[in-house]
Amino acid sequence: IINNYLDGSQGGARDKASPSGLHFRDSKRKVDYVLAYHYRKRLAQHPPGAASPGLTRGSASAGLVSNGGTGKGHAEPQQQDNGQRALREWPGLPGLEVVELSPLDALEEEKRLQREEYERNLVEAGLEIEKDPENKSQGLSFVRIHAPWQVLSREAELLKLKMPTKKMYEITEEGGILKTLNEIWCKLTEPLQPQVQQENTKMKNLSYPFSREKIYLYNIKDKDTFFDNATRSRIVREILKRTSTKARNSMGIGTLIANNVYDAAYPLHDGEYEGQNDDMNERKLLYREWARYGVFYKFQPIDLIRKYFGEKIGLYFAWLGLYTEFLIPSSVVGIIVFLYGCITIESDIPSKEMCDQRNAFTMCPLCDKFCDYWNLSSACATARASHLFDNPATVFFSIFMALWATMFLEQWKRLQMKLSYFWDLTGLEEEEEHPRPEYETKLLQKKLKNKHITTDNSKEVRCSLIFSFGCKEKLTWSDRMPGYAANFGLILFMIMLTFSAVFGVIVYRITTAAALSFSTNETTRSNVRVTVTATAVIINLVVILILDEIYGAVAKWLTEIEIPKTEKTFEERLILKAFLLKFVNSYASIFYVAFFKGRFVGRPGRYVYVFEGYRMEECAPGGCLMELCIQLSIIMLGKQLIQNNLFEIGIPKLKKLFRKLKDERTEPKEMDTNQSKDPQQWDLDYILEPFTGLTPEYMEMIIQFGFVTLFVASFPLAPLFALLNNIIEVRLDAKKFVTELRRPDTVRAKDIGIWYNILSGIGKLSVIINAFVIAVTSDFIPRLMYQYAYSQNGTMHGFINHTLSYFNVSQLKAGTQPENSLFAPEVLFCRFKDYREPPWSPHQYEFSKQYWAVLSARLAFVILFQNLVMFLSVLVDWMIPDIPKDISEQIKKEKTVLVDFFLKEEHEKLKLIESFIARDKRKRRSGSKSKRTRAASFSQGHRSPKGSFTSFSSQHTVV
């Protein structure tokens, strides 16, 4: 261990640091990992000649200092009557005295001892350490870690890391038309390829789990570069996670960081990402070819991303890239559907009938007392706009998007398998994870509670439980029951809170519409619906953004109190909770508009009231689909612009600024003679934001995937806006990973985990929701029924009149009739949108036969649409194999090549051994001929016993 606690004569050692900032001071050994911590030197003064304290008793505010004695003992210190003394004798330890420490000093001393023990254990594990001198009274210090070849090879064998061997084999490509098309595609997309070293797609290294016994198999040209930086840091991280300390039963670096012994642990970036120097590194290459907005048109260098950040992050960007590519055809089809609506708007007969001034459809008042009768032609603009999204093409688009989602998931499975093959992830086993620090703490508390051990003998408890985590005892469901109960209660409360927010917006719309209807301004009254809808959606968006942030924090807290054992379990449970809460939050208001608004209004003379005097809100004359489109578009675009972009850019910068100000405030302004002028790489990386996982990145894309698929029948342009957002999102995430985050630990993963199941669930749910949107929300089924069942000439002429029912205005409740009406003397009947019997019918105002016929047709369409699309989805799933045929053949070929390679190597090794044996035999014969004459007389006089001579060749064979 290289401590580097330098005195004044060695004060310039910091200036001798590696010029690149990536090596130890000898400029030879790489810095594979960095531990950072804040230290604070003890303020209490030592007696003359006393050494720095080397022992603390847990949380006791006392330390032992030596005054030159050599006695031994473990007795407790005697309490003095005058507690003001700075030093007290320790009975049984002559020459040792106790220094009174403040609680803060005692805590700092305990942390220092934990760090020393932990670093000592790291050195025993084979790692090499370099530390900064602590020259200030308090400040930030770094521990740099290097893993030598012996440690790397040992750990690579334990982790079963697949490493390239000397053998390379040819990858057979598909022939015929597919090969020709692939070559043409590569030529066309050559300008879009990033200028990085491409992986050889024709030859592949045969990989095999690393083994020190078979080291001759591997292509080791240089031991320093055989394991790349990402692999080296991963190996060191595994050692850090399993190295324990006795103090507080710390089980690895995770526990030490949780207890604030260390502030951070991270691998280093490969240098600066921009600068005038010509030294190219992988980070700078990623920045130039991937992490800038100026290269948005280029493909992603997925292999380089995987090499630098690891397989888990590489799979995320591969998935994001494929999703963005798949949005291109869906955007094109969506634009065509929208243009079809624009082109056919002039020939749409229902819209013409609504806009025709000669059709005097006098509608019933929209509110009680203050609203007058109105002409349906005044809603002409709404009707024409509704046709843009409510036309027969949207049915085709819904079917197309359901099949699109299935094809996307199938193509992702194929790409995932292809990447697994080229990244040597096939056959990857689930690694046994270390328990989380919180789980270990809870388990220790359970053991203490079960054994009924008091505080007095806590020392024995600590000593007996240091290595007790290897036992089979674990937390049971009864231990987690309080956490489960809290989860159930709080999640239910949060969902009800979301519904309450939606209901609040509904009340706002109803009351605001009523208030604006009282206005004397004609313009205000004529634009009530537009004003209320726009402001309500904006309020709804703000509420969603606020609740999203709250739900993210609540989901994390709820997962923590469940006390999952491993990080993988923690991540999966967190994802499920966060997705459930954010899904309900994002889509609750959209579900309301799509399926509930206008369904429970009642009818004239018998309206449903929310509060006294406030009627339930109705859909616009053109239907609720237009309002659903407005709601969906504003929420989707608002979330993408504000939450996914502004928050993602602004919040990390604010956190970085806050952390910098905090460090400047806590560190004293002392001159450090050992501080180099230029900050080293570990200093620069410490300032960066720590990596907290891929959950937020996946979550925003999954929610967007829901917007694109779930209600696409009402908003065909959703894929287009998602595509424009994702073009920015890819580069935004890339820039964040390269320039704003510390380098994440590389994690091997063969798939995207639980996110695929969520995507598959959304894809299936989208079929059902779009079926109901078309059948219930749009006018597609009523129009179809009218044209083929009720129209006299098979056209849409008369459709508007068919959908409007009559009401006798004399039957309006007292006090609800319009005041100062311009229509009152002339109006005998007003119209409202519903299928009900007329006033002159014996069953007046009851649902008519047409209502039940249309309802039956709606339900039949839902069943037919759902089964048809599900059948087509299963057909597509069956037609597209999960594993590409060429990759399947390559995997089989790789196994054959591996066996042949092993047999060949073993055969060559045996031949080499046999050649050594034959050479030794020849030497033996030639030597024996020259000695035979001289040895003859000797052997005759001194004949050895039978069987005393042993064959050298047989000895060699045994060896």
Side-chain angles (χ1 to χ4, degrees):
I1 182 168
I2 307 172
N3 276 315
N4 291 324
Y5 287 116
L6 306 176
D7 55 24
S9 62
Q10 296 170 298
R14 182 71 188 259
D15 294 326
K16 298 177 183 177
S18 168
S20 65
L22 301 173
H23 294 79
F24 277 13
R25 291 191 177 91
D26 57 12
S27 298
K28 295 179 181 179
R29 289 172 293 177
K30 287 183 179 178
V31 177
D32 297 318
Y33 223 86
V34 174
L35 307 179
Y37 65 91
H38 278 89
Y39 64 89
R40 177 181 176 277
K41 291 188 176 179
R42 187 160 56 84
L43 300 178
Q45 296 295 323
H46 302 301
S52 61
L55 173 68
T56 57
R57 289 188 43 79
S59 59
S61 58
L64 293 184
V65 295
S66 173
N67 286 330
T70 57
K72 296 180 180 180
H74 297 283
E76 294 290 334
Q78 293 179 351
Q79 296 294 331
Q80 301 292 333
D81 294 333
N82 54 345
Q84 304 299 322
R85 290 184 57 187
L87 296 175
R88 292 177 292 163
E89 284 194 4
W90 192 283
L93 291 176
L96 282 180
E97 293 181 334
V98 182
V99 178
E100 290 290 347
L101 300 180
S102 67
L104 191 61
D105 285 337
L107 181 63
E108 190 62 38
E109 185 69 11
E110 185 177 0
K111 290 180 182 179
R112 185 183 66 80
L113 291 177
Q114 287 187 60
R115 285 195 293 268
E116 288 182 358
E117 182 188 359
Y118 184 70
E119 290 158 16
R120 200 160 48 242
N121 292 341
L122 292 179
V123 174
E124 290 175 1
L127 298 176
E128 297 176 4
I129 290 178
E130 181 179 77
K131 296 183 69 173
D132 283 340
E134 299 177 1
N135 295 319
K136 301 178 182 179
S137 60
Q138 61 180 10
L140 178 66
S141 188
F142 296 95
V143 178
R144 294 173 289 283
I145 301 173
H146 168 77
W149 169 257
Q150 294 83 357
V151 175
L152 294 172
S153 57
R154 180 192 72 207
E155 296 298 322
E157 186 172 356
L158 290 174
L159 295 172
K160 299 179 182 178
L161 297 182
K162 281 189 174 182
M163 302 303 296
T165 62
K166 298 175 183 176
K167 177 67 176 177
M168 293 189 73
Y169 66 96
E170 186 178 1
I171 299 174
T172 55
E173 297 179 350
E174 290 183 336
I177 191 170
L178 289 177
K179 184 178 180 182
T180 307
L181 291 174
N182 187 46
E183 290 175 352
I184 294 172
W185 174 253
C186 291
K187 285 287 184 183
L188 292 174
T189 58
E190 191 172 350
L192 305 180
Q193 297 294 339
Q195 300 300 313
V196 300
Q197 184 177 357
Q198 300 290 339
E199 294 285 334
N200 191 348
T201 56
K202 295 184 179 180
M203 299 293 292
K204 184 179 183 296
N205 272 100
L206 185 66
S207 297
Y208 186 72
F210 189 81
S211 172
R212 287 175 290 179
E213 291 181 356
K214 296 183 174 63
I215 200 166
Y216 56 87
L217 298 175
Y218 303 97
N219 188 21
I220 305 176
K221 297 178 181 177
D222 186 357
K223 289 184 177 180
D224 291 335
T225 57
F226 179 66
F227 296 104
D228 59 20
N229 292 345
T231 306
R232 294 173 69 99
S233 64
R234 182 185 172 214
I235 289 173
V236 175
R237 179 73 181 188
E238 288 297 321
I239 299 174
L240 294 176
K241 284 163 67 175
R242 70 166 185 256
T243 303
S244 61
T245 59
K246 296 180 180 179
R248 290 195 178 183
N249 301 293
S250 170
M251 301 300 291
I253 190 64
T255 310
L256 292 174
I257 292 176
N259 294 334
N260 296 318
V261 177
Y262 289 101
D263 291 342
Y266 52 91
L268 291 181
H269 279 293
D270 284 359
E272 296 184 9
Y273 61 88
E274 56 184 355
Q276 301 301 323
N277 56 340
D278 295 330
D279 296 334
M280 182 58 69
N281 57 60
E282 291 181 350
R283 188 188 187 193
K284 185 179 288 186
L285 190 60
L286 282 171
Y287 179 74
R288 288 185 180 179
E289 297 296 326
W290 178 54
R292 294 187 300 115
Y293 296 112
V295 292
F296 72 92
Y297 58 92
K298 289 188 176 182
F299 291 113
Q300 298 184 89
I302 294 296
D303 291 317
L304 185 58
I305 296 168
R306 169 252 176 179
K307 182 182 177 184
Y308 192 80
F309 292 111
E311 285 78 7
K312 191 172 185 178
I313 294 175
L315 282 173
Y316 163 71
F317 281 104
W319 174 84
L320 181 58
L322 181 69
Y323 172 48
T324 305
E325 290 173 15
F326 257 72
L327 285 172
I328 296 173
S330 60
S331 300
V332 172
V333 177
I335 292 171
I336 293 172
V337 169
F338 179 74
L339 292 176
Y340 171 83
C342 295
I343 293 169
T344 59
I345 194 169
E346 296 298 333
S347 59
D348 182 50
I349 296 173
S351 299
K352 285 184 176 181
E353 288 184 350
M354 283 187 68
C355 295
D356 193 351
Q357 298 283 351
R358 295 170 295 180
N359 293 332
F361 296 116
T362 304
M363 305 299 292
C364 296
L366 296 174
C367 65
D368 294 343
K369 196 174 181 179
F370 296 99
C371 295
D372 199 358
Y373 302 104
W374 55 286
N375 285 323
L376 186 60
S377 59
S378 63
C380 175
T382 308
R384 291 171 66 87
S386 295
H387 179 73
L388 297 176
F389 306 101
D390 189 2
N391 56 68
T394 57
V395 180
F396 158 76
F397 191 54
S398 299
I399 298 174
F400 170 81
M401 287 304 293
L403 298 179
W404 172 88
T406 304
M407 291 187 67
F408 164 63
L409 293 177
E410 288 302 310
Q411 188 62 28
W412 167 244
K413 283 193 286 188
R414 291 169 61 84
L415 177 60
Q416 191 171 253
M417 198 63 212
K418 183 179 179 181
L419 294 176
S420 295
Y421 166 69
F422 282 104
W423 293 353
D424 297 321
L425 299 174
T426 52
L428 181 66
E429 299 176 0
E430 292 289 335
E431 298 177 4
E432 185 178 353
E433 291 190 68
H434 300 281
R436 299 176 65 248
E438 294 81 1
Y439 180 87
E440 294 172 344
T441 304
K442 188 70 176 179
L443 191 59
L444 177 61
Q445 291 173 357
K446 178 183 177 182
K447 292 177 180 179
L448 292 172
K449 184 178 179 181
N450 291 344
K451 294 184 179 182
H452 302 287
I453 299 176
T454 59
T455 310
D456 295 335
N457 54 1
S458 60
K459 179 178 179 181
E460 287 78 5
V461 174
R462 177 176 297 178
C463 295
S464 65
L465 292 178
I466 286 172
F467 301 105
S468 62
F469 288 102
C471 65
K472 295 182 179 179
E473 188 169 352
K474 60 182 181 180
L475 297 182
T476 60
W477 66 270
S478 57
D479 299 317
R480 293 191 172 99
M481 184 52 68
Y484 291 152
N487 269 263
F488 178 78
L490 275 173
I491 288 176
L492 195 61
F493 171 76
M494 291 296 171
I495 292 174
M496 295 306 297
L497 179 64
T498 302
F499 291 157
S500 301
V502 174
F503 182 72
V505 175
I506 294 170
V507 172
Y508 164 80
R509 275 203 292 252
I510 294 171
T511 54
T512 307
L516 292 177
S517 299
F518 301 158
S519 174
T520 56
N521 190 330
E522 184 63 29
T523 307
T524 305
R525 281 188 300 183
S526 61
N527 295 319
V528 167
R529 193 179 293 276
V530 176
T531 306
V532 170
T533 301
T535 54
V537 171
I538 293 172
I539 292 171
N540 203 19
L541 173 62
V542 173
V543 171
I544 287 173
L545 293 177
I546 294 171
L547 289 181
D548 252 1
E549 300 301 317
I550 295 172
Y551 287 169
V554 169
K556 186 176 181 181
W557 179 74
L558 288 175
T559 310
E560 287 174 349
I561 64 176
E562 275 189 30
I563 323 168
K565 183 175 181 180
T566 62
E567 286 295 338
K568 182 180 179 181
T569 311
F570 178 87
E571 186 179 20
E572 288 181 349
R573 294 184 182 181
L574 173 62
I575 288 168
L576 285 175
K577 290 182 186 63
F579 174 73
L580 174 63
L581 292 173
K582 293 190 175 187
F583 181 88
V584 173
N585 184 42
S586 298
Y587 299 113
S589 59
I590 299 173
F591 269 93
Y592 164 74
V593 174
F595 303 123
F596 298 101
K597 186 176 180 181
R599 312 292 169 198
F600 311 102
V601 177
R603 61 170 179 81
R606 193 179 290 176
Y607 284 112
V608 177
Y609 291 88
V610 180
F611 301 109
E612 187 176 351
Y614 293 104
R615 278 165 33 183
M616 278 293 291
E617 56 181 347
E618 302 178 45
C619 290
C624 275
L625 198 69
M626 187 61 199
E627 188 170 342
L628 177 62
C629 173
I630 295 170
Q631 186 95 0
L632 183 66
S633 59
I634 291 180
I635 292 176
M636 179 183 176
L637 296 177
K639 278 179 68 68
Q640 289 184 166
L641 179 64
I642 298 173
Q643 192 175 43
N644 297 1
N645 293 325
L646 294 182
F647 283 9
E648 203 164 342
I649 295 171
I651 289 178
K653 291 186 180 298
L654 291 175
K655 285 183 177 179
K656 182 179 178 181
L657 179 63
F658 176 76
R659 191 166 57 252
K660 184 179 179 181
L661 294 174
K662 182 181 178 182
D663 289 341
E664 289 177 354
R665 188 172 65 252
T666 54
E667 289 191 17
K669 296 180 180 179
E670 300 177 17
M671 291 298 293
D672 188 359
T673 55
N674 295 338
Q675 187 72 26
S676 63
K677 294 180 182 179
D678 297 325
Q680 297 295 312
Q681 190 62 47
W682 48 84
D683 296 309
L684 298 172
D685 286 4
Y686 179 77
I687 300 171
L688 300 177
E689 188 74 15
F691 174 69
T692 55
L694 288 169
T695 300
E697 318 300 333
Y698 273 115
M699 187 66 71
E700 62 186 57
M701 289 295 104
I702 297 295
I703 295 295
Q704 185 202 82
F705 183 78
F707 282 120
V708 168
T709 55
L710 291 180
F711 296 93
V712 74
S714 64
F715 189 40
L717 295 179
L720 175 63
F721 289 112
L723 173 64
L724 296 175
N725 173 79
N726 285 10
I727 291 173
I728 301 172
E729 180 71 24
V730 170
R731 306 303 161 179
L732 181 63
D733 283 348
K735 187 175 182 181
K736 183 171 69 173
F737 272 88
V738 173
T739 67
E740 296 175 5
L741 294 180
R742 294 175 191 158
R743 188 171 185 173
D745 294 303
T746 57
V747 178
R748 290 176 74 83
K750 57 184 178 181
D751 52 39
I752 60 174
I754 197 172
W755 294 111
Y756 180 83
N757 299 329
I758 294 174
L759 284 167
S760 181
I762 291 176
K764 291 179 174 60
L765 183 63
S766 68
V767 177
I768 301 170
I769 290 178
N770 280 305
F772 276 99
V773 167
I774 295 168
V776 178
T777 312
S778 75
D779 280 340
F780 177 73
I781 299 300
R783 292 185 182 194
L784 213 61
M785 284 292 294
Y786 176 78
Q787 186 172 0
Y788 293 104
Y790 298 107
S791 177
Q792 296 178 355
N793 52 9
T795 64
M796 292 301 294
H797 290 286
F799 173 73
I800 297 298
N801 186 54
H802 177 75
T803 59
L804 297 177
S805 299
Y806 287 89
F807 180 76
N808 191 341
V809 297
S810 63
Q811 295 177 346
L812 286 172
K813 288 183 179 180
T816 62
Q817 298 91 343
E819 293 182 349
N820 304 320
S821 174
L822 301 175
F823 295 81
E826 304 170 3
V827 175
L828 296 177
F829 298 98
C830 66
R831 310 295 293 272
F832 63 100
K833 190 173 182 179
D834 208 345
Y835 292 102
R836 290 185 182 266
E837 295 290 346
W840 51 84
S841 170
H843 308 286
Q844 60 177 358
Y845 307 132
E846 291 184 4
F847 288 118
S848 62
K849 292 179 181 179
Q850 289 91 335
Y851 171 83
W852 299 110
V854 170
L855 180 62
S856 302
R858 290 181 195 271
L859 296 177
F861 175 82
V862 168
I863 295 170
L864 180 64
F865 181 89
Q866 180 180 338
N867 284 280
L868 174 64
V869 175
M870 287 294 186
F871 170 75
L872 293 175
S873 299
V874 172
L875 186 64
V876 170
D877 190 359
W878 175 75
M879 290 177 63
I880 302 175
D882 293 347
I883 304 176
K885 186 178 179 182
D886 58 333
I887 296 298
S888 179
E889 292 175 354
Q890 291 300 328
I891 292 173
K892 293 176 184 176
K893 180 181 177 181
E894 189 176 72
K895 292 178 181 178
T896 306
V897 171
L898 183 64
V899 172
D900 293 343
F901 177 60
F902 274 172
L903 291 175
K904 183 180 178 182
E905 288 292 329
E906 291 295 327
H907 183 65
E908 289 181 356
K909 190 168 70 171
L910 288 173
K911 284 177 64 179
L912 186 65
I913 292 172
E914 288 174 358
S915 66
F916 276 120
I917 293 172
R919 188 174 62 182
D920 289 341
K921 283 183 178 180
R922 288 195 299 270
K923 286 183 180 179
R924 180 69 178 172
R925 289 195 195 100
S926 61
S928 62
K929 286 180 182 178
S930 61
K931 295 177 181 178
R932 191 171 295 165
T933 306
R934 292 175 302 185
S937 59
F938 178 81
S939 62
Q940 288 174 359
H942 303 84
R943 185 171 298 277
S944 300
K946 186 178 181 181
S948 62
F949 290 101
T950 306
S951 170
F952 177 80
S953 62
S954 64
Q955 290 180 15
H956 188 96
T957 305
V958 171
V959 173

